[in-house]
Amino acid sequence: MTTYEGGCTCRQVRYRMTSRPMFVHGCHCTWCQRETGSAFATNAMIEADRVESIGEITPVMVDTPSASGKGQRIWRCPNCQVALWSNYAGSGDRVRFVRVGTLDAGHGLEPDIHIFTSTKQPWVVLPPGARAVPEFYKPSELWPADSRERFAALRKQ
């Protein structure tokens, strides 16, 4: 089984992903740009029960608005305030959108798709052959079969 470990800047919040994510987004929406203070966010979608807390303290949840109007829960270190993952209303608490940048170096998780590229910063150049869409996409058309099965299993819970 593949695992990935990560954590916050002060290293008091540590976590482990116990499998590969279902799918990885490079999100270029203006909301992610604002939330991260960067050109885009890279989020690994994974079942919440596959993310284990292994650090000294657990992250705290901060409710924030979102572009959809449904809100977003961002889980942050209570000390250094680094955002570790989010939960969005569409997937609820069952799916975590882990901030790939909080994984330890060498994680090797590249985006499976770049989304909301209509608002991508013009100086960001996507790699040749990268899958990209101007807004969002239909997971049923782009996700691998095993990821669709994992997500379907979550909906039955």
Side-chain angles (χ1 to χ4, degrees):
M1 182 186 313
T2 303
T3 62
Y4 305 85
E5 291 188 5
C8 65
T9 300
C10 73
R11 311 280 295 166
Q12 290 188 346
V13 173
R14 298 285 300 155
Y15 67 89
R16 177 181 299 123
M17 292 175 24
T18 61
S19 74
R20 286 196 60 77
M22 290 182 279
F23 214 63
V24 180
H25 292 151
C27 185
H28 298 266
C29 76
T30 56
W31 208 273
C32 281
Q33 291 175 34
R34 186 183 305 93
E35 284 286 341
T36 63
S38 186
F40 61 96
T42 308
N43 294 308
M45 296 179 63
I46 188 167
E47 299 90 328
D49 64 359
R50 295 185 186 198
V51 180
E52 304 172 343
S53 180
I54 58 173
E56 296 173 26
I57 59 175
T58 57
V60 295
M61 188 265 301
V62 178
D63 276 316
T64 64
S66 69
S68 71
K70 297 177 181 177
Q72 171 185 187
R73 293 179 173 169
I74 301 177
W75 297 86
R76 296 180 175 276
C77 170
N79 292 324
C80 66
Q81 298 297 307
V82 165
L84 300 157
W85 60 78
S86 296
N87 293 94
Y88 293 93
S91 301
D93 294 331
R94 298 173 300 209
V95 177
R96 291 187 176 164
F97 289 70
V98 173
R99 304 278 173 96
V100 171
T102 66
L103 292 169
D104 295 340
H107 52 70
L109 293 178
E110 296 180 28
D112 294 304
I113 192 166
H114 290 268
I115 58 176
F116 295 100
T117 58
S118 64
T119 53
K120 176 180 75 58
Q121 292 297 315
W123 48 266
V124 171
V125 179
L126 300 180
R131 188 181 295 166
V133 293
E135 299 300 322
F136 202 68
Y137 63 96
K138 292 181 181 177
S140 61
E141 295 175 0
L142 296 179
W143 284 19
D146 66 322
S147 294
R148 291 192 311 269
E149 290 168 12
R150 287 168 59 185
F151 192 77
L154 287 174
R155 299 183 90 181
K156 293 177 184 177
Q157 295 178 356

